[in-house]
């Protein structure tokens, strides 16, 4: 069934009495605003946002598909082509053929690209599924580094880590081979991504994180707040937002969006689909769009496919176009919400330049006078680079500040450090505490880290109190 195009909401109208009238111009009304946008991307852009779709490389030869894609959307997420099994099918052999096709299709038409996804328990190639421990940690960091480096300058935002929390009421991390490499695997992935592409926005992405009251939502919120307080480089949170009767659109969705945004990160709706049909489905889509427009830092929406038949949940007809490419009522609802919405304008943000978190967890109790300290290091090495984690331990008295010195092997160069101020990036280098980790009680420890090119063998850190 073909539906008429959306009627412009406001337009410049010249109403003329009749074809035969000579000078009988009875009215001429100049509207106060320009013609309403007629595509999702253009309308979202007027609100300072993007409207994207998940795209499959093997559909780029389907002209019905690309006609809608090229007309309607100004952002693209490869649906499967940037996943770990697609980009690194054999260890250290990278294949970007299909991802590059999508990126070039999008960028040559002025669409932006969201990268999905760098570190995930699912869609791992066989070689990675069989790995564990420090070998897996290094392989994961290498993957993050290589893939973000390949797409540097082409991908505006990355889902660095995907779906790392468990469903249900535990609020715990999801068990996986990546999780078993240590709880810091997520922050390590973000640091590696920042080091390789400092200009991409780095997102944590998950599902069932839409309802503010759910344990999983709270767990992700707490992680993001912790990352912001410790300077872990995170710029955005992706809410996948796959809605159906088992996981319905929650009435507190706007609260969830605004609470995440208040942590000082962008919020993106990354995989939207809503099972259903007709007016009910259209109304839910409208609510989602209005919620995003109401939150300044909700800066874009991506639907997870174009036509219902393209969906991973095709039988639920969850998308904006039917299988023949016709606009559904849900499409009209989204376009009209985008056109008529009165949004809060998203502030311009650059990666790493986000507002601080609302709480400052570090303790402020002034400690007594300082004494000695010691330092140990653990290194995750991969071909061409490594991440070093340095543990500083106070001696018999409370530390009020510390300096750690070490000498890097020849050829090793630091690209990025966290939880410490760094002096030097090769040869003899030193690190001093930052404001929140200088105070360490007797016998207690704190950690900082750095990433470097080259080899991290034989590192011998020494610690002095200051
Ligand atoms: O499951 C829905 C989404 C949940 N969030 C993360 C997304 O990455 C995920 O997307 C889906 C894709 O829509 C599916 O297309 O992820 C699935 C698993 O990666 C994708 O399914 C896979 C099939 O499992 C494979 O058998 C198939 O070869 O799609 C592949 C390519 O068609």
């Amino acid at each position: 069934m073909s539906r008429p195009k959306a009627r412009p909401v406001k337009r410049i109208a010249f109403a003329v009495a009749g074809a035969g009238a000579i000078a009988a111009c009875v009215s001429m009304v100049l509207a106060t605003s320009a013609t309403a946008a007629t595509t999702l991307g253009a309308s979202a852009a007027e609100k300072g946002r993007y409207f994207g779709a998940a795209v499959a490389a093997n559909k780029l030869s389907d002209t019905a598909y690309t006609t809608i894609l090229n007309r309607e959307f100004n952002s693209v997420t490869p649906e499967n082509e940037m996943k770990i099994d697609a980009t690194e099918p054999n260890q250290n052999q990278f294949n970007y053929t299909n991802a590059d096709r999508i990126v070039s299709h999008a960028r040559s038409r002025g669409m932006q690209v969201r990268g999905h996804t760098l570190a995930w328990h699912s869609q791992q190639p066989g070689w990675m599924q069989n790995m564990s421990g420090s070998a897996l940690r290094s392989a994961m960091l290498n993957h993050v580094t290589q893939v973000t480096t390949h797409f540097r300058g082409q991908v505006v935002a990355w889902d660095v880590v995907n779906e790392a929390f468990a469903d249900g009421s535990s609020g715990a991390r999801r068990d996986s081979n990546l999780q078993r490499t240590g709880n810091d695997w997520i922050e390590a992935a973000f640091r590696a991504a920042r080091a390789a592409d400092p200009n991409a926005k780095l997102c944590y992405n998950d599902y069932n994180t839409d309802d503010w009251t759910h344990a999983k939502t709270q767990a992700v919120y707490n992680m993001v707040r912790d990352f912001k307080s410790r300077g872990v480089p995170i710029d955005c949170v992706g809410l996948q937002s796959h809605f159906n009767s088992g996981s319905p659109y929650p009435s507190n969705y706007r609260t969830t969006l605004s609470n995440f945004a208040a942590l000082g990160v962008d919020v993106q709706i990354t995989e939207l689909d809503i099972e259903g049909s007709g007016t009910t489905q259209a109304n839910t889509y409208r609510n989602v769009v209005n919620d995003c427009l109401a939150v300044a830092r909700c800066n874009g929406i991506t639907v997870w496919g174009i036509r219902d038949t393209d969906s991973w949940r095709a039988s639920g007809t969850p998308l904006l176009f039917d299988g023949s490419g016709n606009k559904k009522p849900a499409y009209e609802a989204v376009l009209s919400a985008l056109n008529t919405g009165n949004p809060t304008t998203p502030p311009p943000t650059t990666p790493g330049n986000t507002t601080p978190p609302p709480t400052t967890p570090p303790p402020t109790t002034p400690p007594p006078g300082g004494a000695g300290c010691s330092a140990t290091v653990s290194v995750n090495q991969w071909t061409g680079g490594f991440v070093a984690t340095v543990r500083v331990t106070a001696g018999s008295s409370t530390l009020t500040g510390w300096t750690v010195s070490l000498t890097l092997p020849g050829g090793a160069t630091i690209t990025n450090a966290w939880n410490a101020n760094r002096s030097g990036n090769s040869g003899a280098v030193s690190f001093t505490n930052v404001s929140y980790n200088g105070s360490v009680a007797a016998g207690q420890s704190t950690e900082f880290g750095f990433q470097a090119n080259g080899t991290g063998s034989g590192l011998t850190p020494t610690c002095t109190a200051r």
Side-chain angles (χ1 to χ4, degrees):
M1 183 180 62
S2 162
R3 294 174 198 280
K5 271 193 145 183
R7 225 181 111 85
V9 175
K10 297 171 188 165
R11 61 180 156 188
I12 299 170
F14 296 88
V16 179
I22 299 168
C25 183
V26 294
S27 76
M28 183 173 130
V29 180
L30 283 175
T32 52
S33 137
T35 304
T38 58
T39 67
L40 303 172
S43 186
E46 288 182 354
K47 300 293 187 286
R49 288 163 171 81
Y50 66 81
F51 205 98
V55 163
N58 63 9
K59 291 177 183 158
L60 291 176
S61 52
D62 173 346
T63 54
Y65 180 85
T66 54
T67 297
I68 303 173
L69 168 64
N70 299 348
R71 184 186 69 218
E72 295 288 344
F73 298 96
N74 60 359
S75 175
V76 155
T77 304
E79 185 173 359
N80 291 300
E81 293 77 356
M82 287 184 177
K83 291 174 181 173
I84 315 171
D85 58 351
T87 51
E88 195 177 355
N90 300 299
Q91 188 168 15
N92 259 317
Q93 285 179 11
F94 292 86
N95 183 342
Y96 300 114
T97 309
N98 287 326
D100 282 344
R101 283 179 61 204
I102 296 177
V103 169
S104 111
H105 182 100
R107 285 173 48 80
S108 66
R109 290 163 179 82
M111 306 171 192
Q112 65 174 49
V113 178
R114 290 193 86 261
H116 173 84
T117 177
L118 297 168
W120 190 19
H121 68 276
S122 183
Q123 303 305 117
Q124 291 182 2
W127 63 266
M128 186 180 270
Q129 291 173 29
N130 293 327
M131 288 180 98
S132 63
S134 60
L136 173 60
R137 174 68 68 94
S138 298
M140 180 274 284
L141 292 172
N142 182 52
H143 181 85
V144 170
T145 301
Q146 298 295 327
V147 177
T148 46
T149 298
H150 176 82
F151 291 107
R152 187 162 51 201
Q154 303 186 78
V155 165
V156 299
W158 272 107
D159 291 331
V160 177
V161 171
N162 197 39
E163 301 175 357
F165 281 83
D167 291 310
S169 59
S170 70
R173 294 282 184 87
R174 176 194 295 276
D175 180 52
S176 72
N177 59 348
L178 290 168
Q179 180 62 31
R180 290 190 291 271
T181 69
N183 208 48
D184 62 345
W185 73 277
I186 298 180
E187 59 199 83
F190 275 82
R191 288 181 175 119
R194 177 70 98 231
D197 185 353
N199 295 318
K201 290 194 175 183
L202 305 182
C203 307
Y204 176 78
N205 190 52
D206 215 328
Y207 66 91
N208 281 350
T209 48
D210 314 289
D211 188 317
W212 177 242
T213 66
H214 282 181
K216 191 170 171 182
T217 312
Q218 293 295 312
V220 173
Y221 177 84
N222 287 333
M223 179 189 73
V224 176
R225 185 171 59 180
D226 170 56
F227 280 11
K228 293 294 289 179
S229 75
R230 292 190 294 114
V232 177
I234 184 167
D235 305 302
C236 36
V237 171
L239 302 187
Q240 294 183 9
S241 303
H242 296 291
F243 295 128
N244 61 14
S245 56
S247 183
Y249 162 79
S251 58
N252 59 25
Y253 189 60
R254 191 178 298 190
T255 301
T256 304
L257 297 177
S258 57
N259 285 347
F260 273 112
L263 291 176
V265 289
D266 289 347
V267 183
Q268 303 181 342
I269 299 170
T270 51
E271 304 182 14
L272 181 63
D273 48 25
I274 303 171
E275 291 191 42
S277 63
T279 310
T280 309
Q281 181 182 51
N283 285 340
T284 309
Y285 264 105
R286 178 184 293 107
N287 288 338
V288 169
V289 172
N290 284 335
D291 289 340
C292 183
L293 292 177
V295 176
R297 292 193 75 159
C298 179
N299 64 347
I301 299 175
T302 299
V303 285
W304 204 242
I306 295 180
R307 302 162 300 196
D308 284 335
T309 42
D310 300 318
S311 170
W312 70 299
R313 286 177 166 171
S315 64
T317 61
L319 294 173
L320 302 179
F321 297 86
D322 70 18
S324 305
N326 300 309
K327 296 169 179 172
K328 294 167 58 181
Y331 171 93
E332 307 292 0
V334 167
L335 182 62
S336 115
L338 287 171
N339 276 334
T340 61
N342 187 17
T344 45
T345 311
T349 58
T350 52
N353 187 21
T354 49
T355 46
T359 56
T360 321
T364 52
T365 328
C373 56
S374 58
T376 55
V377 64
S378 67
V379 171
N380 274 322
Q381 180 76 50
W382 64 87
T383 311
F386 65 94
V387 164
T389 303
V390 181
R391 171 170 283 253
V392 175
T393 304
S396 56
S397 303
T398 297
L399 280 176
T400 57
W402 45 263
T403 300
V404 170
S405 303
L406 55 83
T407 301
L408 295 164
T413 310
I414 296 177
T415 55
N416 187 30
W418 50 93
N419 294 345
N421 295 312
R422 173 170 54 97
S423 167
N425 65 359
S426 62
V429 296
S430 64
F431 303 85
T432 55
N433 61 278
V434 287
S435 61
Y436 53 81
N437 64 5
S439 295
V440 185
Q444 300 300 298
S445 299
T446 187
E447 283 186 351
F448 71 93
F450 61 89
Q451 182 170 348
N453 299 319
T455 304
S457 56
L459 295 179
T460 317
T462 57
C463 186
T464 51
R466 66 186 192 99

